[in-house]
Amino acid sequence: MKKHIAILGSTGSIGVQALNVIENHPDHFEVEVLTANWNSELLIRQAVKHRPKAVVIADKEKYQVVSDALSYLGITVMAGEEQVAEAACLSDIDMVLIAIVGYAGLLPSVKAIQAGKDIALANKETLVIAGELITCMAQENNVSIIPVDSEHSAIFQCMAGEDMSRVEKIYLTASGGPFRGKSLEFLRNVTRREALTHPNWSMGEKITIDSASMMNKGLEVIEARWLFGLSPDQIDVIVHPQSVIHSMVQFVDGSMKAQMGLPDMKLPIQYALAWPERLKSSFRRFSFTDYPNLSFEKPDYEVFRNLTLAFEALARGGNIPCALNAANEVAVKAFLQNRIRFTDMPVMIEKAINRIHFISEPSLSDYISTDQETRIITSEFIQT
Ligand code: NAD
Ligand code: MG
C-alpha cells in the first residue's frame, strides 16, 4: 500500500528534498497535493513530473499561469492561502508534510489535523505559536505528529521502544551557526550575506538567519516541549559544531542514547514520511575517520540573547511564545532587508513581547490576534 502525501511548501528547501525522497521510493509514496507561495515555475515543473491530483498557488495572481500549464493534465489548480489549507484535507491523503515557513504554516496544520491527517512537521513555528492547542487537537483527532526537524527526529528515533516517563532530560544539539564564539561587538556589524552562510546546512533564508542568531534553537526548545510533553527544565541545549550527533536522550538510569548521521535533511524527511517503517536509502554514509573529533560546548546565552528570550517565553507560557515567534519573523525580515542590525533583532523581540497583553490559556483566535498585534508593535519599534 502506497502512502498518499500532500506537501505544503513543495518549492522550498524541505519541499524539494521531500520530492527527491519520494522520487527514490515510487513503491512507497504517491504525491497527492503540492502547494507553493509564489514560485509558479517550480511548482509547474514539480507537478508535471509528479502528477499530483491538485496543486495550490497561494499568490492568486499566479493562478492563470499555473492553470494554463497544468489543467490539460487533469490536475486541479487552486489559488489562495485558504486553499492551501483546504487542499491538505482532500480525502485520499494519508499524510501532510508541513514544509511552509513561519506563521503561514499554522492554519494549514490546524485544518489537516481536524481532517484526521497524520502530520510530518517541518514547520516548527506551528508548535511554537500554539503547541498546547495543536498537541491536544492531534490527540483528540487521533493524529500522529512526526517531527522532520533533525533534532526532534533524533529524539523521536531514540525514543523508539522507550517510555516517555523514563526520560530524565534531552539535549538538543546546535551547530552554533556561522558566528559561534563571536562577541556581541562582532555581531553588531555582520552583514546579511555573512548571516546567510551556514557552515553545515543549506536551508531557506528565514531558518538560516534563525540559526545564525540561535533563535532557531530557541524555537526548537519550545517545539520539543510540546512534541515530547517535557517540562522546560528537562530540555538542554549543547553546541556541537560538527552537526553529526543530531540530539540525545538521557534516561532515568543515566543511560544516554544519541542519533547520529551526516547533516542531510533527506534522512529525517524520509524517516517521517515512511514512519513507522524505516526505508533503505543510498544517502552518503558517515565515516568516523572523517570526524576524528566531536566537540561540545555550552551556548553563550549573553551573546545569543534570542536563546534566553525563547527559554523565558516558554517559562511564561500562554500567548508569549506566539508573540516571540511573530516578533522574530518581523525582525528577521527587517534584517534581511538591511533595515536593522543583526544585534537589533533580540532588542526588538524583547521590547515587543514585553508589550503584549498576557493570555494564559489562549484560543486559536487569541493566537491569531496575538500574532497580528505583535507584528504591528514590532514594526513600529523598527520604524522608530
Ligand atoms: P523555504 O523558505 O525554503 O520554503 C518555504 C516554503 O513555504 C516554500 O515552498 C514557499 O512557497 C512556502 N510558503 C512560504 N510562505 C507561504 C505562505 N504565506 N503561504 C503558503 N506557502 C508559503 O523554507 P525551508 O527552509 O524549506 O523551511 C520550511 C520549514 O521547515 C520552516 O518552518 C523551517 O523552520 C523548517 N525546517 C527547515 C529545515 C531546512 O533544512 N530547510 C530544517 C529543519 C526545519
Ligand atoms: Mg533543527
Side-chain angles (χ1 to χ4, degrees):
M1 277 274 283
K2 286 192 195 180
K3 214 187 239 190
H4 293 243
I5 311 278
I7 304 181
L8 309 191
S10 64
T11 53
S13 159
I14 292 286
V16 166
Q17 294 181 83
L19 282 173
N20 192 282
V21 165
I22 288 175
E23 206 179 315
N24 289 322
H25 295 281
D27 299 342
H28 287 86
F29 305 116
E30 181 101 29
V31 179
E32 286 289 317
V33 170
L34 297 175
T35 83
N37 193 18
W38 54 265
N39 191 343
S40 52
E41 218 173 282
L42 180 54
L43 181 66
I44 291 167
R45 266 190 280 130
Q46 291 178 332
V48 168
K49 186 166 183 186
H50 292 274
R51 300 298 171 96
K53 289 217 178 63
V55 302
V56 189
I57 183 98
D59 179 353
K60 289 183 177 161
E61 288 186 9
K62 300 279 175 70
Y63 170 78
Q64 206 55 50
V65 58
V66 180
S67 176
D68 289 349
L70 298 178
S71 295
Y72 80 99
L73 294 172
I75 298 171
T76 305
V77 178
M78 296 177 275
E81 286 212 19
E82 314 78 59
Q83 298 301 321
V84 170
E86 291 301 329
C89 307
L90 295 180
S91 61
D92 284 346
I93 298 167
D94 300 310
M95 181 174 244
V96 181
L97 170 61
I98 315 274
I100 293 174
V101 59
Y103 175 84
L106 176 68
L107 293 180
S109 302
V110 168
K111 286 271 184 192
I113 293 170
Q114 284 171 339
K117 310 296 186 189
D118 280 340
I119 304 287
L121 189 67
N123 178 273
K124 63 193 81 187
E125 293 91 345
T126 288
L127 287 177
V128 174
I129 297 165
E132 187 159 21
L133 185 121
I134 291 286
T135 45
C136 287
M137 202 180 262
Q139 249 172 13
E140 281 163 14
N141 289 281
N142 210 9
V143 157
S144 302
I145 301 181
I146 313 300
V148 169
D149 214 347
S150 58
E151 296 75 3
H152 305 73
S153 176
I155 304 290
F156 190 68
Q157 293 184 55
C158 290
M159 286 309 298
E162 301 284 355
D163 188 333
M164 222 44 235
S165 70
R166 304 290 85 192
V167 171
E168 198 162 73
K169 68 188 291 186
I170 64 170
Y171 288 92
L172 299 179
T173 51
S175 70
F179 307 135
R180 180 175 63 89
K182 301 295 187 201
S183 66
L184 207 50
E185 196 45 45
F186 179 92
L187 290 191
R188 256 179 72 75
N189 295 311
V190 298
T191 64
R192 181 187 190 279
R193 196 178 51 79
E194 287 164 336
L196 282 172
T197 312
H198 195 280
N200 303 342
W201 300 96
S202 159
M203 312 177 282
E205 283 194 342
K206 191 257 178 184
I207 184 175
T208 306
I209 299 301
D210 284 347
S211 300
S213 73
M214 294 289 278
M215 181 55 97
N216 183 50
K217 212 48 55 182
L219 301 180
E220 291 184 353
V221 167
I222 303 174
E223 178 186 14
R225 186 261 176 270
W226 295 112
L227 265 178
F228 304 113
L230 297 164
S231 64
D233 62 0
Q234 286 178 294
I235 308 171
D236 215 337
V237 173
I238 189 87
V239 174
H240 164 49
Q242 298 80 19
S243 296
V244 299
I245 293 185
H246 297 308
S247 278
M248 294 170 265
V249 179
Q250 179 176 308
F251 294 92
V252 288
D253 58 359
S255 176
M256 294 183 83
K257 279 191 185 175
Q259 188 265 339
M260 297 175 68
L262 289 172
D264 180 351
M265 282 309 293
K266 287 199 289 302
L267 216 155
I269 292 169
Q270 175 172 305
Y271 187 80
L273 294 182
W275 178 88
E277 274 190 76
R278 191 187 277 280
L279 301 182
K280 231 173 134 62
S281 88
S282 54
F283 305 145
R284 201 157 69 82
R285 286 349 189 203
F286 175 79
S287 157
F288 281 97
T289 47
D290 286 346
Y291 291 90
N293 298 302
L294 297 185
S295 59
F296 303 92
E297 54 197 66
K298 279 192 175 158
D300 188 333
Y301 286 92
E302 269 157 39
V303 171
F304 296 95
R305 177 121 184 90
N306 276 343
L307 194 50
T308 309
L309 292 176
F311 269 104
E312 285 173 6
L314 178 58
R316 288 174 66 192
N319 60 339
I320 302 302
C322 169
L324 174 91
N325 178 71
N328 181 56
E329 287 189 23
V330 174
V332 168
K333 193 166 172 198
F335 172 72
L336 283 171
Q337 293 168 339
N338 296 315
R339 290 167 54 216
I340 58 172
R341 287 174 187 270
F342 191 80
T343 41
D344 289 336
M345 289 193 287
V347 178
M348 302 293 162
I349 295 166
E350 184 165 20
K351 275 166 80 171
I353 54 182
N354 286 338
R355 277 275 292 277
I356 276 295
H357 170 66
F358 178 68
I359 306 172
S360 63
E361 288 177 25
S363 63
L364 183 59
S365 66
D366 290 328
Y367 285 124
I368 295 171
S369 53
T370 298
D371 177 82
Q372 287 168 348
E373 279 168 38
T374 313
R375 281 169 198 273
I376 294 168
I377 293 171
T378 317
S379 303
E380 282 168 6
F381 284 135
I382 287 171
Q383 268 149 26
T384 52

